[in-house]
Amino acid sequence: MKKVSFAEFGGPDVLRLEDAEEPHAGPGQVRIAVRAAGVNPVDWRVREGQVLKAHPIELPAGVGLDAAGVVDEVGEGVDGVEVGDHVFGEGSSTYAEFAVLSAWARMPEGLTFEEAAGYPSVVETALRIIREVGVQPGQTLLVSGASGGVGSAVLQIARDRGITVIGTAGAPNQDYLRGLGALATTYGEGWVERVRGLGRVDAALDLAGSGVIRELVELTGDPRKVVSIADLGAPEFGVRFSGTAGSVPDALAEATDLISRGKLHIPVEKSYTLAEAAAAHIDSRAGHTRGRRVVVV
């Protein structure tokens, strides 16, 4: 089978599309014929060697955590899923023709493989950081870097819970944020005052790692009310850096419920082939994404 991997840490040029042995489902796992794999910032952070404590790996290593596809092998002890089922979930080395998933759920009706591949890690992250920042119904949550996959999920999940959301993003994505129910403003010079003009901020999330931790603490008045998933220097300000995943099965169940109720939709901004994995990482790292990026197999 074809698989994207890397033998050394570095830039996108270390990625190789190579022939590899097919993986097989172990106990409690399923194998899928991958139709699409989600492109997440953690993919290129791991490739660069940034987040090895949360994601220890041995080289050479595959790339990718999220995928959607067709079950073609069911491991020992697995019930409730059969060969031929369409599922989405999280595993390892998902930029490949076949991948093993350790957590999965049946794809919600009406979702394409490309759409489904963009949800697992994104929704898990969104649910986790909303919980960790402690924002409650009736309060206001500021989301810095709100137009990407995690931001899109956070805005919609928070709104479904009765939380007011303020989102920052580039000028081209203002209408997109408003369409997700957010009070929107641009980043850049004067952004703190623009946010203040939209109302009180009870909690804040840093999703872009754009050097705004100090300002987010200023806006909330308490570093404990700020969580970052993108700035490794956040703890220097007393702010929690959240990089370890919670329950993916629970996240998939909640994602399925939200999608089925029409409360969660994350568009696919761009699709790439396996041979274009490096380009996918370059674009993901550049930011300014509206929704999700996926690799199509």
Side-chain angles (χ1 to χ4, degrees):
M1 70 164 191
K2 294 293 185 182
K3 171 184 174 181
V4 176
S5 62
F6 60 101
E8 60 181 317
F9 298 117
D13 57 305
V14 302
L15 296 177
R16 298 285 184 269
L17 178 59
E18 300 176 328
D19 291 317
E21 292 187 8
E22 294 182 6
H24 293 284
Q29 300 175 325
V30 299
R31 186 179 81 168
I32 62 170
V34 179
R35 296 292 184 261
V39 176
N40 296 301
V42 69
D43 299 343
W44 51 262
R45 290 183 184 276
V46 169
R47 189 209 71 226
E48 292 180 351
Q50 286 190 31
V51 289
L52 298 184
K53 288 183 180 179
H55 300 273
I57 62 171
E58 294 183 6
L59 298 176
V63 185
L65 296 174
D66 293 349
V70 182
V71 175
D72 79 336
E73 193 174 280
V74 178
E76 181 181 349
V78 173
D79 297 316
V81 64
E82 299 178 352
V83 170
D85 285 350
H86 292 189
V87 300
F88 68 133
E90 186 176 278
S92 61
S93 302
T94 56
Y95 292 24
E97 292 179 327
F98 294 92
V100 170
L101 301 183
S102 53
W104 63 88
R106 281 192 174 85
M107 284 171 43
E109 189 172 343
L111 225 56
T112 67
F113 287 115
E114 288 181 58
E115 291 170 331
Y119 283 96
S121 292
V122 159
V123 175
E124 185 284 317
T125 301
L127 291 168
R128 168 171 30 100
I129 59 180
I130 289 172
R131 180 179 68 251
E132 290 175 350
V133 83
V135 65
Q136 300 297 316
Q139 293 186 322
T140 297
L141 174 66
L142 169 61
V143 184
S144 176
S147 64
V150 173
S152 298
V154 165
L155 298 185
Q156 293 173 79
I157 293 169
R159 293 294 297 127
D160 188 56
R161 295 181 177 185
I163 297 165
T164 298
V165 285
I166 298 172
T168 69
N173 289 327
Q174 297 295 294
D175 286 343
Y176 174 71
L177 296 187
R178 294 187 186 102
L180 298 181
L183 302 170
T185 190
T186 54
Y187 46 70
E189 186 176 353
W191 74 270
V192 170
E193 291 309 314
R194 289 195 294 276
V195 167
R196 283 202 174 103
L198 294 174
R200 171 180 169 174
V201 174
D202 298 294
L205 299 173
D206 166 42
L207 308 185
S210 53
V212 296
I213 297 297
R214 189 188 304 274
E215 289 84 354
L216 297 182
V217 172
E218 178 186 336
L219 283 163
T220 61
D222 186 347
R224 294 172 298 179
K225 302 304 295 181
V226 181
V227 170
S228 176
I229 62 168
D231 191 332
L232 295 173
E236 298 174 14
F237 298 90
V239 168
R240 180 173 186 163
F241 178 85
S242 183
T244 303
S247 172
V248 178
D250 288 350
L252 292 171
E254 186 146 359
T256 299
D257 173 65
L258 288 163
I259 294 166
S260 299
R261 291 192 290 114
K263 298 297 185 179
L264 178 63
H265 172 70
I266 305 176
V268 176
E269 180 177 61
K270 189 172 181 179
S271 301
Y272 307 79
T273 65
L274 286 174
E276 296 170 327
H281 280 204
I282 291 170
D283 291 347
S284 174
R285 203 183 197 294
H288 310 295
T289 302
R290 181 181 301 180
R292 295 307 322 280
R293 301 178 187 274
V294 298
V295 171
V296 175
V297 180

